[in-house]
């Protein structure tokens, strides 16, 4: 038998008493674990979604003069000889150090084509990349898959009364309309969309790119740095990080975490108080017992160890149980908060942190009661009954 | 012996290193025990003194055997040694068949026997007993006194507090206390009046 055995027997043979502290602490741990893992899951999902919400780096050709347009109003003369980016240069993107953080690279070419004697904006894209980037695009029909297929924005379809599957003549060449873009309320409604090579040849812009949109997909991407890396491989282009998206996202998530941590700290403080009060009570209740231990020849340090071991064992159990219940609660609650796309994921830091914090809080809150117990005058302790 | 409040427990606790006297010193084996540090005093109690109290001696959450093992827990003995020493001691006080019982499953007399076994398990030179029969009926008291007498015959020094005059027959020397002072000592031929 060891000191810890004494404690274990005490705890298991007086289960009622142990249960109170155990359950109290466990509720605390459960609350903190649930809150933290919910916030974890939700913020990961939010981040993921925001990252997919669109480009956060835009590459455009270098301009020779300041732009003379604002909010769609053109003030200056239309640029006649609009410079484009050389498609061959895009290969350089693969050389940048953070290439692996680029989830999507969507190059496109823009220009006007003739449709029913009028001019319509045609955008040549790599359909897969483009549709991945523009998650808000919804389509009747499908994406263009071969060179003679196009998709029309809702305004275009309405104006020219286009229907799915119909033949369309663009600048004298025939295309099949395979998709209709639902209304987006943006400039996209005014577009015709075709595969990049088709559009390049139709617009006589072979090997040219008007614009590249890139999405960086990672936590806390060094977007500024990635932009600098892109500038070095694309000397003829302007590279603009869309910082606002990143910054707003970080700010919102930061606020959310702050709130969760605030609640967590409050719960931890209440847990510490609970341990403190329970242990204080246990010690005044067991004063005579302590007197007997002292009479038998237990040192102050032995009493200290007995009391701390008791708190440590209960806290560790509460930590483990609380963590498990917290995980179960997260599983249960997540689908209610969300369409089901947020997922719980095993987080070893949270697991060990929750259990470790329970033990540390339990021990710290017991320090004072334990010292008190160890300093009880043996003869005085024996008198209490 | 002495009336209630005469200082019997106080004297016993002072002898046993549980309460320092405000004046004077206690020498045991030439050791001035109250000049030791608090931790060394605890070690001293463990090695020199066995305590038995009137009641509530035992930890309710430990079996008889575990209770007897308590003084051995903080020594360097192996688990096996601790267990067998405790079992042997319980055998000697007649509780060999009760090793795994909790105090609540034992009678008052049996509990007192466990307490005696615990006090003697590490063979201290002195056993201090504060009214060990105080809460027992006459027949059980007698059995406990017989048990203590048996240990005494084997050489165990026992200092016992009692205010039951019937117990006088068991004692070699009787100190009588009144108002915190020794008023009679049978060793120097003092006669003690009635209680
Ligand atoms: N020598 C002494 N000097 C000062 N105070 C004393 C002395 N002896 C006893 N007292 C005080 O007297 C009170 C009663 O003493 P104690 O508890 O030892 O009595 P007792 O004889 O054991 O009584 P009971 O038979 O009721 O157990 C205690 O508060 C103790 O501090
Ligand atoms: Mg007394």
């Amino acid at each position: 038998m060891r000191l810890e055995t004494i404690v274990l027997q005490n705890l298991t043979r007086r289960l009622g008493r142990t249960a109170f502290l155990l359950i109290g602490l466990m509720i605390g741990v459960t609350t903190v674990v649930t809150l933290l893992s919910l916030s974890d899951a939700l913020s990961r999902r939010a981040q993921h979604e925001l990252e997919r919400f669109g480009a956060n780096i835009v590459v455009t050709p270098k301009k020779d003069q300041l732009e003379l347009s604002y909010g769609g109003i053109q003030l200056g003369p239309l640029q006649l000889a609009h410079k484009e980016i050389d498609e061959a240069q895009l290969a350089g993107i693969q050389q940048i150090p953070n290439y692996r953080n680029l989830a999507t690279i969507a190059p496109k070419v823009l220009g006007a084509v003739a449709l029913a004697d009028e001019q319509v904006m045609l955008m040549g894209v790599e359909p897969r990349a483009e549709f991945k980037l523009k998650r808000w695009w919804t389509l009747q029909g499908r994406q263009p898959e071969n060179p003679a297929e196009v998709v029309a924005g809702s305004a275009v379809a309405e104006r020219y009364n286009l229907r799915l599957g119909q033949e369309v003549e663009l600048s004298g060449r025939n295309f099949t309309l395979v998709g209709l873009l639902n209304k987006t309320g943006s400039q996209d409604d005014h577009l015709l969309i075709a595969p990049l090579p088709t559009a390049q040849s139709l617009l006589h812009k072979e090997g040219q790119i008007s614009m590249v949109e890139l999405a960086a997909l990672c936590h806390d991407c060094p977007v500024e740095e990635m932009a600098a890396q892109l500038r070095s491989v694309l000397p003829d282009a302007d590279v603009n990080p869309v910082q606002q998206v990143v910054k707003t996202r970080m700010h919102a998530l930061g606020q959310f975490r702050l709130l969760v941590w605030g609640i967590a700290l409050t719960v931890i403080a209440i847990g510490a108080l609970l341990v403190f009060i329970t242990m204080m009570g246990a010690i005044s209740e067991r004063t005579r017992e302590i007197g007997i231990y002292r009479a038998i020849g237990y040192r102050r340090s032995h009493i200290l160890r007995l009391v701390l071991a008791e708190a440590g064992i209960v806290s560790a159990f509460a930590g483990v149980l609380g963590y498990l219940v917290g995980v179960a609660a997260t599983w249960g609650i997540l689908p209610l908060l969300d369409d089901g796309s947020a997922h719980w994921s095993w987080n070893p830091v949270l697991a060990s942190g929750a259990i470790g914090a329970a033990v540390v809080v339990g021990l710290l809150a017991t320090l004072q009661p334990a010292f008190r117990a160890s300093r009880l005058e043996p003869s005085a302790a024996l008198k209490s009954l | 012996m002495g009336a209630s409040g005469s200082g019997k427990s106080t004297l016993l606790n002072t002898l046993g290193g549980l309460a320092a006297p405000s004046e004077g010193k206690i020498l045991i084996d030439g050791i001035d025990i109250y000049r030791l540090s608090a931790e060394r005093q605890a070690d001293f109690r463990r090695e020199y003194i066995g305590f038995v109290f009137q009641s509530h001696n035992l930890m309710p959450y430990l079996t008889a055997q575990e209770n007897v093992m308590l003084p051995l827990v903080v020594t360097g003995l192996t688990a096996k040694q601790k267990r067998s020493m405790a079992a042997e001691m319980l055998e000697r006080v007649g509780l060999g068949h009760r090793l795994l019982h909790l105090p609540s499953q034992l009678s008052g007399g049996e509990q007192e026997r466990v307490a005696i076994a615990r006090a003697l398990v590490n063979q201290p030179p002195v056993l201090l007993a504060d009214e060990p029969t105080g809460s027992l009926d006459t027949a059980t008291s007698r059995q406990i006194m017989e048990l203590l007498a048996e240990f005494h015959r084997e050489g165990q020094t026992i200092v016992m507090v009692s205010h039951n005059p019937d117990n006088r027959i068991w004692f070699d020397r009787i100190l009588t206390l009144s108002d915190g002072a020794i008023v009679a000592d049978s060793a120097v031929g003092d006669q003690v009046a009635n209680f």
Side-chain angles (χ1 to χ4, degrees):
Chain A
M1 193 160 80
R2 297 155 20 96
L3 280 175
E4 289 70 23
T5 324
I6 299 176
V7 174
L8 274 180
Q9 303 292 42
N10 181 9
L11 290 175
T12 51
R13 290 183 186 149
R14 288 175 167 181
L15 259 186
R17 210 161 304 198
T18 309
F20 172 73
L21 185 56
L22 188 72
I23 291 171
L25 263 184
M26 199 189 86
I27 291 172
V29 176
T30 300
T31 312
V32 173
V33 167
T34 309
L35 276 175
L36 288 182
S37 42
L38 278 180
S39 100
D40 210 37
L42 287 178
S43 67
R44 246 183 304 106
R45 196 210 56 165
Q47 226 161 21
H48 198 65
E49 225 159 56
L50 282 167
E51 270 152 3
R52 301 223 278 167
F53 179 63
N56 40 34
I57 300 173
V58 177
V59 179
T60 48
K62 261 213 170 83
K63 292 187 186 70
D64 296 332
Q65 58 175 102
L66 285 178
E67 219 158 347
L68 293 176
S69 74
Y70 185 81
I73 313 283
Q74 290 272 353
L75 285 185
L78 281 168
Q79 282 170 290
L80 296 173
H82 193 85
K83 269 208 251 164
E84 304 282 13
I85 303 167
D86 183 359
E87 193 172 359
Q89 284 190 356
L90 296 187
I93 295 178
Q94 290 175 28
Q95 311 304 323
I96 70 165
N98 282 84
Y99 174 67
R100 276 157 42 81
N101 295 137
L102 289 172
T104 316
I105 304 172
K108 58 214 85 192
V109 69
L110 288 160
V113 285
L115 169 61
D117 297 332
E118 288 184 348
Q119 296 250 300
V120 176
M121 184 74 113
L122 174 71
M123 184 164 85
V125 301
E126 284 174 3
R128 195 156 307 184
E130 198 66 29
F131 279 85
K132 188 175 163 200
L133 197 69
K134 309 259 160 89
R135 288 232 308 155
W136 58 91
W137 279 3
T138 54
L139 202 58
Q140 296 171 45
R142 57 174 175 79
Q143 298 175 15
E145 274 160 13
N146 58 57
E149 293 178 349
V150 288
V151 165
S154 66
V156 179
E158 204 173 304
R159 182 174 175 89
Y160 300 101
N161 202 12
L162 302 178
R163 263 167 295 108
L164 218 52
Q166 108 178 42
E167 292 284 310
V168 191
E169 195 189 309
L170 299 177
S171 297
R173 276 166 62 178
N174 276 331
F175 290 87
T176 313
L177 187 70
V178 294
L180 290 174
L181 214 52
N182 289 326
K183 194 173 168 66
T184 64
S186 70
Q187 293 180 331
D188 301 340
D189 294 344
H190 301 269
L191 289 177
L192 278 169
I193 298 160
L196 187 61
T198 311
Q200 282 170 329
S201 82
L202 207 59
L203 297 168
H204 307 294
K205 291 185 176 180
E206 281 88 351
Q208 295 179 26
I209 295 295
S210 312
M211 172 188 199
V212 189
E213 288 178 296
L214 302 114
L217 181 66
C218 51
H219 290 233
D220 303 327
C221 269
V223 174
E224 283 289 355
E225 204 182 307
M226 290 169 71
Q229 293 168 5
L230 287 168
R231 266 176 219 123
S232 72
V233 295
L234 301 170
D236 296 335
D238 276 331
V239 178
N240 290 305
V242 188
Q243 290 181 327
Q244 229 159 344
V245 177
V246 183
K247 283 189 173 158
T248 328
R249 167 207 308 167
M250 289 310 161
H251 186 68
L253 291 174
Q255 298 275 308
F256 186 39
R257 281 227 180 99
L258 215 61
L259 175 71
V260 165
W261 276 106
I263 297 172
L265 285 179
T266 312
V267 172
I268 288 171
I270 295 172
L273 204 63
L274 175 78
V275 174
F276 179 79
I277 292 169
T278 313
M279 292 313 282
M280 270 301 192
I283 278 151
S284 59
E285 201 173 285
R286 279 149 64 182
T287 303
R288 181 174 167 86
E289 215 177 288
I290 294 165
I292 289 173
Y293 278 116
R294 299 284 279 131
I296 288 174
Y298 280 47
R299 292 174 161 209
R300 286 178 172 172
S301 56
H302 294 136
I303 304 293
L304 205 64
R305 256 174 73 189
L306 282 175
V307 179
L308 287 178
E310 179 168 331
I313 291 171
V314 174
S315 307
F317 262 95
V320 172
L321 289 178
Y323 175 74
L324 293 178
V325 177
V327 167
T330 309
W331 266 79
I333 294 171
L334 259 188
L336 306 178
L337 291 184
D338 178 272
D339 54 6
S341 58
H343 288 293
W344 173 81
S345 69
W346 160 244
N347 180 349
V349 177
L350 181 61
S352 50
I355 297 163
V359 173
V360 168
V361 169
L363 289 181
L364 284 182
T366 307
L367 270 186
Q368 211 272 335
F371 268 108
R372 223 176 119 140
S374 75
R375 309 223 144 241
L376 279 175
E377 210 36 69
S379 60
L382 279 167
K383 271 183 201 146
S384 98
L385 197 64
Chain B
M1 307 193 96
S4 183
S6 57
K8 306 184 294 293
S9 300
T10 305
L11 176 61
L12 207 68
N13 290 346
T14 307
L15 285 177
L18 288 175
S22 47
E23 284 177 58
K25 52 189 178 181
I26 309 280
L27 290 176
I28 296 179
D29 258 7
I31 305 168
D32 185 348
I33 54 175
Y34 291 106
R35 292 187 60 179
L36 300 172
S37 69
E39 300 295 60
R40 294 292 302 140
Q41 279 180 36
D43 297 343
F44 168 83
R45 288 194 292 271
R46 192 169 64 242
E47 282 158 37
Y48 278 82
I49 313 283
F51 276 101
V52 178
F53 303 100
Q54 178 177 338
S55 62
H56 299 275
N57 272 293
L58 307 179
M59 305 303 157
Y61 45 86
L62 297 178
T63 63
Q65 190 177 21
E66 289 166 341
N67 263 291
V68 176
M69 270 194 274
L70 282 178
L72 307 176
V73 165
V74 289
T75 64
L77 298 169
T78 65
K80 203 174 159 185
Q81 282 174 313
K82 292 177 198 173
R83 261 198 311 277
S84 68
M85 282 171 78
E88 246 169 65
M89 205 60 215
L90 279 166
E91 192 79 52
R92 286 207 55 195
V93 300
L95 289 176
H97 57 300
R98 289 267 197 265
L99 298 186
L100 304 181
H101 289 238
L102 289 173
S104 56
Q105 300 164 321
L106 300 173
S107 71
E110 288 174 325
Q111 289 182 24
E112 213 56 33
R113 281 166 195 269
V114 177
I116 292 168
R118 184 180 66 196
L120 295 176
V121 71
N122 55 349
Q123 295 161 330
V126 183
L127 174 70
L128 300 181
D130 194 348
E131 308 202 42
T133 61
S135 57
L136 303 176
D137 60 70
T138 323
T140 319
S141 290
R142 217 189 135 68
Q143 288 167 9
I144 295 294
M145 288 314 297
E146 271 163 6
L147 180 67
L148 288 175
E150 197 184 313
F151 280 113
H152 177 58
R153 273 196 298 281
E154 288 166 21
Q156 179 69 51
T157 304
I158 301 178
V159 179
M160 175 177 157
V161 167
S162 175
H163 55 206
N164 181 355
D166 295 348
N167 284 337
R168 301 179 58 121
I169 52 161
W170 303 98
F171 303 144
D172 294 339
R173 178 179 175 185
I174 299 172
L175 295 176
T176 307
L177 298 185
S178 175
D179 291 336
I182 298 174
V183 293
D185 181 349
S186 65
V188 293
D190 283 353
Q191 284 305 307
V192 181
N194 37 13
F195 288 95

